[in-house]
């Protein structure tokens, strides 16, 4: 009834082609469907589906609104919308786009202090904060003094509301 999606920072859901709606005649709720020769159609133009919130997660409840019936006999019917629909918002994949590592004074060790990370793929102007939403640890390839010494950095997303909407792409 609703398509799964990848996190985009919005609670909007997309109606799928297999959404089943029931029309019940107002006069006798005994039968579902349209009475023969009645003029009633579903007008889904303004129809909306929305997840309970914008955050990534499996089997999230979805609500529907703004469905309309049209036709001369539309007032004789009640539209019964499904109430048990769920869908999944998958985590959005991020790539590390840039790293900043602090210069250091020789101390005999390889530890590198990461002072900044930029990500590609964040949605709606969101930002992730180093030390809160993610951690970054680094190690220089050598402990000797040098310029532009290469380093390995590991970035790990934390368990925060914002970070849980993302996953990191495999490192290259």
């Amino acid at each position: 009834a609703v398509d799964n999606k990848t996190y985009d920072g919005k609670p909007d859901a997309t109606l799928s082609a297999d959404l089943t709606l029931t029309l019940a005649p107002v006069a006798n709720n005994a039968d579902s469907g349209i009475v023969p020769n009645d003029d009633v159609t579903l007008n889904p133009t303004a129809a909306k589906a929305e997840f309970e919130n914008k955050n990534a997660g499996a089997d999230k409840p979805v609500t529907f609104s703004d469905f309309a019936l049209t036709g001369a006999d539309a007032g004789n019917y009640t539209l019964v919308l499904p109430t048990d629909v769920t869908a999944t918002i998958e985590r959005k994949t991020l790539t590390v786009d840039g790293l900043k590592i602090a210069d250091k004074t020789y101390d005999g060790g390889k530890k590198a202090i990461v002072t900044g990370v930029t990500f590609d793929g964040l949605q709606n102007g969101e930002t992730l904060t180093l030390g809160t939403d993610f951690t970054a640890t680094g190690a220089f390839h050598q402990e000797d003094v040098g310029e532009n010494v290469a380093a390995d950095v590991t970035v790990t997303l934390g368990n925060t509301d914002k970070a849980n909407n993302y996953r990191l792409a495999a490192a290259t």
Side-chain angles (χ1 to χ4, degrees):
V2 173
D3 295 334
N4 292 334
K5 73 174 193 174
T6 300
Y7 177 74
D8 63 2
K10 301 172 190 168
D12 304 340
T14 302
L15 298 170
S16 61
D18 66 346
L19 177 64
T20 302
L21 302 174
T22 304
L23 286 178
V26 173
N28 68 0
N29 256 342
D31 294 325
S32 292
I34 299 172
V35 173
N37 299 320
D38 270 6
D39 176 20
V40 60
T41 56
L42 176 65
N43 180 358
T45 305
K48 295 179 192 168
E50 193 167 276
F51 288 95
E52 68 179 343
N53 61 47
K54 68 178 186 166
N55 296 321
D59 299 322
K60 296 176 66 75
V62 177
T63 57
F64 300 96
S65 62
D66 299 333
F67 281 84
L69 297 176
T70 59
D73 299 309
N76 297 330
Y77 291 85
T78 300
L79 181 59
V80 180
L81 297 173
T83 58
D84 60 348
V85 175
T86 61
T88 296
I89 300 177
E90 298 288 341
R91 291 178 175 204
K92 171 86 172 149
T93 300
L94 296 178
T95 55
V96 173
D97 193 36
L99 296 166
K100 183 170 170 94
I101 298 173
D103 290 339
K104 73 181 256 181
T105 302
Y106 176 76
D107 63 3
K110 292 184 177 182
K111 183 177 181 179
I113 304 298
V114 179
T115 58
V117 177
T118 55
F119 296 98
D120 183 36
L122 292 169
Q123 298 296 297
N124 294 331
E126 289 182 340
T127 59
L128 298 179
T129 303
L130 178 60
T132 302
D133 298 310
F134 69 96
T135 58
T137 56
F140 288 108
H141 288 190
Q142 67 186 44
E143 63 269 348
D144 297 331
V145 173
E147 289 188 29
N148 298 317
V149 176
D152 293 322
V153 175
T154 301
V155 177
T156 305
L157 293 176
N159 186 19
T160 66
D161 286 343
K162 282 195 291 184
N164 286 333
N165 292 315
Y166 299 99
R167 77 175 89 238
L168 288 174
T172 56

